Amino acid sequence: MKTSFIPIDYDYFDFEGRNYAKIIGRDEKGKRVCIIDSCPAYFWAILNQELKQKEIEKLLDKINQIQLDVKGRKTKVEKTEIHDKNFLGKPVKAVKIFATNYKDLHDIASHLGMPEIEKRRGYDLGFITHYIIEKEIKPMHWYEISGEVLNNSLEFGGIDSNLDVDFCIKLEKAKEISDKKFPPKGLAYDIETDELKIGEGEILMISLVSDNFKKVITWKKSSHKERFVEYVKDESELLEKFVEYVRKVSPDFLVGYFSDGFDLPYLKARAEKHKIKLNLGLDESQPKFTRGINLSGKINGIVHIDILKFIRTAYSQYMKSETLSLNEVAKEFLGDSKKEFIIQHSSKLKEKDWNQYYEYNLHDSVLTLKLFEKFWPDILEFTKVVQEPVFDVSRNGLSKQVENYILHNLEKFNEIPEKRPTHEEIRTRRGNKKVEGAFVFEPKPGLYENIAMFDFTSMHTSIIISMNISGPTLLEKSDKNAYTIEAENKKYSFSEKQGFIPLLLKEIFEKRKLHKKEYKKNPSPITKARSNAFKLLSASIHGYIGFFGARYYSRESSASILAFVRKFNKQTIEKIQNSGYEVIFGDTDSVGFIIGSKTESDVKKLLKKLNSELPGIMELELEGFFKRGLWVTTRGGTFGAKKKYALIKKDGKIKIRGFETVRRDWCRLSRDTQNKIIKSILSEGNEKKALKYLKEVIEKIKERKIDKKDLIIKTQLKKPLSEYKAISPHVIAAKKMQEQEIPVSQGNLIEYYLAEIDTKKSLVRDKVKLPSEKGDYNIKYYLEHQIIPAVENIFQVFGINIKEVIEGKKQMTLRDF
DNA sequence: ATATACACGGATCCCCTATTTCC
DNA sequence: GGAAATAGGGGATCCGTGTA
């Protein structure tokens, strides 16, 4: 049989001692197809390069005789081949050692302690990764495949008999073809329970949302019935109904929000309790969870996606939302929010509340599905680039993505993969001294007019590519054509001959450029997110090289990249200064300066000139022209504060970096006040109106006219309560919550305010009260610790001492009497 | 468990000295 | 009068959160 096919979910099984990949996907008509395929299992033994032909032959004989009996499985070396390969960019002779089962490679490798063998590699990729590399059946690419139909066949122990697919095919041939349409079929789900702890309460309802499908299943009856609500007898039946509907809708992607950590484990726990099989898998299997602290729930044949995880790795750095709660994320990306509903224990809910609860539950799934649809293009892009299954790509951290991308492209370079570092290696790497980072220019505080900003496009990546930096390209001895840089009082040189890592990064670099262009042409939260996602992937490459867990870790490379970053940043600053401009800002890959008496076209000419002097693919671009910009001193007051500035464009658009306004651990009042003051100063060009506004705010505070919700301070609990050495206010607040039996755990955003207290205790933490606790806000604290620190440095730019102004005003009122 | 370094700034911790309190 | 308790100053450290 011949058909089109797009692989979506990968799994594998053993049959008669061999490994088989089992891939679920669709054909172009939307029929569900499963293909079964085998794949040779092998790894590499890199030989001592001085071996003679005879010695090699003798060695091969020895290897060919290896037979093992591990974990009750008999295994042996099936065959060996000699190949000319590359390892870390250098040509090597290597033996390709084939075994029956991929899982045995590690054991065989550990029996190869002969002196003729220098290194053993390629046994630690994981079967799926190995399979995708070997057979080039890449996720989310289209293929024309042919093979034997296994429907109702007894092959592989009758694999098809309980597999819910339209066709099951034993793959014979596959040819990549051009992209076809693939509408991803997503089904979002969300549960509501009485208790938050996994499995401890009952599941009250489950919502399911897909295209033209909306359902809330519940066993909690109310007299009013919405169309989408379906009642069942009890929790057991609810679980069964859930499975039934998932099977009926038959999605490619079952999507939840924090569902790896909550919904799916909860469902599983309750199913176990009721002794019900949660057979969601296409093969009727139940969800499986990876071990470890971070659970991942896998369903056979259906890709379970916890969209929160993808958002967290790919976007969170660039998001405005203070938390990654569904509500805030939906607001930011969808302009939609959760339905209003105060969750209480079901026993406390009144008859009329239930309808609201159903709607609330349903809407969560609606939002989750929308988020999935919004981010699907990004997940798809990442999957195609990284070439790992969607399940993994949607969960992996950035280092994993970069590494997988490299691993999947080594064959082009005839490269043998490097191994994962051992625990011992990781320990030493972690113990290494930190490499010196980027250069940050100390700004001169002030309010400036007409500013231009330049920044380097993907600076680290373009340096890696242009200067050919990587572990394998690092030279022991410099030659005259090498790229050389001084770092840590040493000279590091990288070969002129292009290495495989720098070459591979080019693709990501180009994708990043493309998406940035797309965003500039059509700005929307999504194009912005996409552009940033690739910016992140691109920027992570440098992080990856310096990451202790990386296969291709190279401390020297990392130090060199950063040394180049410093060099080019400083050089650019100098060149701009020499062209007659005053530089006022510089951080890592960007420079800001005053245009002064020159024109914008002069600036553009300068940019062109600077670019012509840059090596390789390095590129400086115009970030923008700004009408005004504000820089302040540090809190101490002596230096210009780095990483803190505000700019206004001609069209009034404001860009604020680093100020308290953008920090979530300051109360709303301080942030709003500072924000208004900055905006006023930037648009007016002076501080007059801002000062007036500040005085009003201060009066309001003194008169206790400020709404308590604007005084709430939010701080994240970054670790378990017991691990804190310093008992800071938010730790106290968390402890208070615990006492009141409000669940608190690591990662929660703790909210509190500072209240007036009777005792003379002087620590801030003694004034902490939870938002629910009654009390008057502490006027002195909010003035001296929230408002003044947030605005003091800004007014200092104009020579105004805010403390004196406040006190001076007091004197005036005294004189008035 | 799993990208990096630089930076700001609040709050506590900890050590010290000076002052106050207690017997 | 002398010991113990307390206050507060200042640097070190912890901690969270930004920028790039």
Side-chain angles (χ1 to χ4, degrees):
Chain A
M1 176 182 172
K2 214 178 203 179
T3 178
S4 55
F5 179 69
I6 182 170
I8 302 169
D9 191 46
Y10 291 68
D11 191 22
Y12 69 98
F13 63 91
D14 281 9
F15 184 69
E16 292 173 350
R18 290 195 169 276
N19 316 108
Y20 291 90
K22 181 171 130 196
I23 310 169
I24 306 285
R26 299 264 180 193
D27 69 8
E28 61 193 299
K29 290 183 198 109
K31 294 270 185 207
R32 190 169 249 145
V33 179
C34 168
I35 66 170
I36 309 287
D37 191 16
S38 62
C39 160
Y42 65 84
F43 70 103
W44 296 97
I46 299 169
L47 298 177
N48 186 323
Q49 298 310 298
E50 268 128 51
L51 286 189
K52 304 212 172 67
Q53 190 57 31
K54 258 204 175 144
E55 292 170 306
I56 294 178
E57 275 163 27
K58 237 171 103 187
L59 178 70
L60 290 193
D61 279 347
K62 224 155 73 185
I63 297 174
N64 278 323
Q65 278 164 28
I66 292 179
Q67 287 195 12
L68 296 176
D69 193 345
V70 272
K71 297 156 202 147
R73 198 168 52 223
K74 282 199 170 47
T75 188
K76 64 174 172 48
V77 169
E78 288 198 336
K79 63 171 175 175
T80 49
E81 293 168 6
I82 286 280
H83 287 259
D84 285 315
K85 297 286 288 181
N86 293 319
F87 182 60
L88 302 179
K90 291 190 184 65
V92 291
K93 272 224 181 315
V95 191
K96 195 175 188 179
I97 301 170
F98 292 82
T100 321
N101 194 304
Y102 191 83
K103 291 189 204 101
D104 299 330
L105 295 183
H106 201 281
D107 292 309
I108 296 175
S110 54
H111 277 79
L112 294 179
M114 308 87 163
E116 298 95 322
I117 295 172
E118 278 196 345
K119 290 184 170 100
R120 292 147 288 179
R121 292 294 184 270
Y123 50 81
D124 62 354
L125 299 177
F127 180 73
I128 301 285
T129 304
H130 174 82
Y131 171 82
I132 295 171
I133 294 171
E134 186 65 17
K135 301 296 289 258
E136 293 189 58
I137 306 289
K138 297 175 269 187
M140 306 316 294
H141 284 72
W142 279 97
Y143 294 91
E144 188 182 82
I145 59 160
S146 57
E148 179 195 343
V149 178
L150 294 182
N151 290 34
N152 303 317
S153 134
L154 290 177
E155 212 168 327
F156 302 115
I159 187 160
D160 173 65
S161 60
N162 54 0
L163 192 61
D164 184 18
V165 295
D166 296 303
F167 305 107
C168 187
I169 297 169
K170 185 176 166 189
L171 188 69
E172 276 155 20
K173 258 194 203 149
K175 194 179 105 208
E176 197 172 339
I177 52 175
S178 60
D179 263 3
K180 293 184 182 299
K181 232 173 106 187
F182 175 74
K185 195 166 185 186
L187 172 64
Y189 74 114
D190 181 57
I191 65 170
E192 301 300 333
T193 65
D194 265 342
E195 295 285 335
L196 288 176
K197 263 201 164 164
I198 303 295
E200 282 191 8
E202 287 177 308
I203 298 174
L204 307 170
M205 59 187 87
I206 304 180
S207 60
L208 286 164
V209 174
S210 185
D211 261 2
N212 302 317
F213 184 88
K214 280 184 181 179
K215 207 45 94 189
V216 171
I217 313 164
T218 182
W219 53 280
K220 291 282 185 181
K221 291 201 163 100
S222 83
S223 52
H224 309 279
K225 188 179 167 177
E226 296 283 351
R227 268 171 305 132
F228 54 81
V229 181
E230 182 168 334
Y231 293 117
V232 289
K233 189 168 91 249
D234 51 22
E235 197 188 16
S236 305
E237 211 177 296
L238 176 137
L239 293 166
E240 281 165 355
K241 222 24 193 218
F242 169 66
V243 174
E244 189 187 315
Y245 276 123
V246 172
R247 301 192 78 89
K248 197 177 144 201
V249 175
S250 190
D252 297 307
F253 305 100
L254 183 66
V255 193
Y257 199 87
F258 190 46
S259 53
D260 269 347
F262 185 71
D263 302 69
L264 200 58
Y266 215 113
L267 282 162
K268 195 176 182 203
R270 294 311 289 177
E272 270 165 19
K273 167 140 181 110
H274 292 297
K275 301 199 168 60
I276 289 169
K277 280 236 162 97
L278 206 63
N279 44 353
L280 292 163
L282 294 186
D283 59 354
E284 313 248 310
S285 66
Q286 305 200 53
K288 289 184 193 75
F289 289 91
T290 54
R291 276 169 289 164
I293 287 180
N294 267 330
L295 286 179
S296 296
K298 200 171 168 83
I299 298 168
N300 198 299
I302 296 173
V303 184
H304 177 234
I305 290 181
D306 183 347
I307 195 73
L308 165 67
K309 282 196 175 157
F310 186 69
I311 291 173
R312 186 159 50 204
T313 41
Y315 309 112
S316 64
Q317 281 197 16
Y318 295 97
M319 283 168 62
K320 289 195 208 104
S321 314
E322 279 170 24
T323 66
L324 289 178
S325 66
L326 177 59
N327 195 34
E328 288 204 61
V329 171
K331 260 194 226 163
E332 183 162 349
F333 289 116
L334 307 172
D336 193 356
S337 56
K338 283 168 75 113
K339 296 250 170 179
E340 296 252 345
F341 184 73
I342 299 154
I343 293 189
Q344 307 171 57
H345 192 273
S346 61
S347 60
K348 288 184 189 150
L349 285 174
K350 299 205 179 65
E351 177 78 24
K352 63 173 172 40
D353 296 330
W354 282 99
N355 263 336
Q356 257 189 306
Y357 206 177
Y358 303 147
E359 278 185 31
Y360 168 89
N361 178 226
L362 184 75
H363 197 62
D364 275 5
S365 284
V366 170
L367 295 178
T368 304
L369 185 70
K370 278 193 191 164
L371 281 174
F372 168 69
E373 284 168 352
K374 281 268 182 185
F375 290 123
W376 170 249
D378 304 46
I379 297 176
L380 184 64
E381 247 334 89
F382 264 58
T383 303
K384 284 183 164 177
V385 170
V386 172
Q387 294 183 35
E388 280 284 299
V390 176
F391 179 86
D392 304 275
V393 167
S394 69
R395 284 174 177 77
N396 283 341
L398 289 163
S399 72
K400 257 267 122 108
Q401 313 275 31
V402 172
E403 184 155 285
N404 283 329
Y405 170 72
I406 296 174
L407 289 176
H408 280 283
N409 285 286
L410 288 177
E411 200 48 51
K412 288 186 212 162
F413 303 93
N414 198 28
E415 266 277 329
I416 293 173
E418 177 57 297
K419 67 168 172 50
R420 274 202 296 259
T422 61
H423 286 294
E424 192 51 46
E425 280 167 310
I426 289 179
R427 222 190 336 268
T428 12
R429 289 175 183 186
R430 294 187 87 163
N432 283 345
K433 214 179 98 228
K434 280 188 175 178
V435 298
E436 188 186 343
F439 167 73
V440 189
F441 181 87
E442 191 192 311
K444 205 171 95 211
L447 180 69
Y448 301 97
E449 306 257 326
N450 290 326
I451 296 156
M453 290 279 233
F454 287 168
D455 62 19
F456 283 93
T457 321
S458 297
M459 192 185 205
H460 298 78
T461 309
S462 68
I463 284 176
I464 296 170
I465 298 167
S466 304
M467 258 57 79
N468 201 26
I469 299 174
S470 68
T473 47
L474 177 69
L475 298 175
E476 278 172 38
K477 262 200 294 193
S478 176
D479 65 60
K480 66 174 178 3
N481 289 324
Y483 301 97
T484 303
I485 185 80
E486 203 179 305
E488 308 180 308
N489 301 320
K490 270 180 255 167
K491 276 210 165 133
Y492 292 125
S493 298
F494 297 89
S495 72
E496 187 194 15
K497 190 175 158 256
Q498 184 104 62
F500 65 95
I501 295 177
L503 208 54
L504 275 174
L505 306 186
K506 230 176 168 169
E507 189 185 348
I508 293 183
F509 177 79
E510 257 137 37
K511 277 227 150 68
R512 150 79 180 135
K513 260 170 85 172
L514 196 78
H515 287 298
K516 188 167 180 178
K517 220 185 225 169
E518 197 179 282
Y519 164 60
K520 290 248 155 119
K521 214 171 84 190
N522 169 29
S524 79
I526 289 303
T527 50
K528 185 180 181 180
R530 192 155 307 149
S531 164
N532 281 332
F534 276 90
K535 177 180 179 174
L536 206 59
L537 195 60
S538 172
S540 312
I541 295 157
H542 163 242
Y544 170 77
I545 291 174
F547 168 51
F548 54 78
R551 289 173 193 253
Y552 293 99
Y553 171 85
S554 167
R555 197 179 174 281
E556 298 86 346
S557 300
S558 185
S560 305
I561 295 161
L562 287 163
F564 271 118
V565 167
R566 289 191 295 274
K567 184 181 140 188
F568 282 111
N569 192 238
K570 285 180 186 167
Q571 217 169 61
T572 307
I573 290 173
E574 227 166 83
K575 284 181 182 174
I576 293 172
Q577 284 169 337
N578 292 343
S579 306
Y581 297 91
E582 186 186 353
V583 170
I584 44 175
F585 166 82
D587 188 345
T588 313
D589 60 358
S590 42
V591 187
F593 55 96
I594 302 170
I595 300 172
S597 58
K598 309 215 178 181
T599 64
E600 290 188 359
S601 91
D602 288 335
V603 171
K604 284 180 183 160
K605 266 184 225 154
L606 171 66
L607 180 66
K608 221 172 175 181
K609 181 175 163 271
L610 293 177
N611 266 319
S612 69
E613 293 161 6
L614 286 172
I617 61 157
M618 287 193 73
E619 192 190 350
L620 196 63
E621 68 177 335
L622 179 69
E623 216 269 323
F625 290 116
F626 296 89
K627 195 169 107 190
R628 285 196 190 94
L630 177 71
W631 276 264
V632 298
T633 62
T634 57
R635 197 88 180 84
T638 32
F639 307 104
K642 297 167 175 179
K643 298 188 188 286
K644 247 185 152 177
Y645 62 93
L647 295 164
I648 188 167
K649 279 207 163 171
K650 286 185 193 119
D651 62 4
K653 244 180 114 185
I654 284 177
K655 180 174 167 180
I656 298 180
R657 291 288 120 96
F659 273 109
E660 284 73 5
T661 303
V662 300
R663 298 180 59 91
R664 72 170 178 192
D665 56 351
W666 284 71
C667 73
R668 211 10 70 211
L669 178 75
S670 317
R671 298 175 62 185
D672 285 352
T673 307
Q674 193 194 49
N675 191 21
K676 284 209 176 114
I677 284 172
I678 290 173
K679 275 189 178 168
S680 161
I681 288 174
L682 285 177
S683 45
E684 299 288 322
N686 64 60
E687 80 294 359
K688 300 258 163 4
K689 277 194 182 167
L691 193 58
K692 189 166 162 269
Y693 176 73
L694 176 66
K695 284 177 183 169
E696 286 167 21
V697 172
I698 289 172
E699 277 315 301
K700 266 195 187 164
I701 296 174
K702 288 183 177 167
E703 288 164 15
R704 290 202 184 284
K705 280 185 181 159
I706 306 290
D707 197 337
K708 207 197 271 177
K709 75 174 199 314
D710 291 328
L711 299 173
I712 304 290
I713 294 169
K714 300 175 188 173
T715 314
Q716 195 185 17
L717 203 63
K718 298 286 263 191
K719 47 189 178 188
L721 268 179
S722 55
E723 282 177 25
Y724 280 91
K725 285 182 193 154
I727 309 303
S728 45
H730 79 295
V731 175
I732 287 292
K735 282 188 176 160
K736 280 195 169 201
M737 287 169 75
Q738 242 176 11
E739 279 163 28
Q740 295 182 20
E741 291 183 355
I742 304 167
V744 252
S745 53
Q746 194 179 337
N748 284 162
L749 205 56
I750 308 294
E751 303 189 356
Y752 60 92
Y753 73 100
L754 285 309
E756 305 281 5
I757 48 165
D758 305 333
T759 57
K760 269 193 285 184
K761 286 181 179 172
S762 60
L763 291 177
V764 175
R765 66 174 172 220
D766 298 318
K767 304 181 181 79
V768 167
K769 279 195 177 173
L770 299 181
S772 56
E773 280 181 283
K774 277 193 184 135
D776 290 326
Y777 65 78
N778 193 308
I779 295 178
K780 196 165 179 259
Y781 178 85
Y782 282 99
L783 280 179
E784 290 176 7
H785 294 254
Q786 288 282 326
I787 291 297
I788 292 175
V791 302
E792 198 176 20
N793 312 343
I794 299 175
F795 286 102
Q796 210 184 25
V797 166
F798 304 95
I800 297 171
N801 184 322
I802 279 303
K803 278 186 191 145
E804 273 173 21
V805 169
I806 296 168
E807 281 156 21
K809 207 181 162 211
K810 245 186 223 159
Q811 281 164 11
M812 263 213 320
T813 39
L814 278 174
R815 248 181 277 144
D816 286 346
F817 280 103

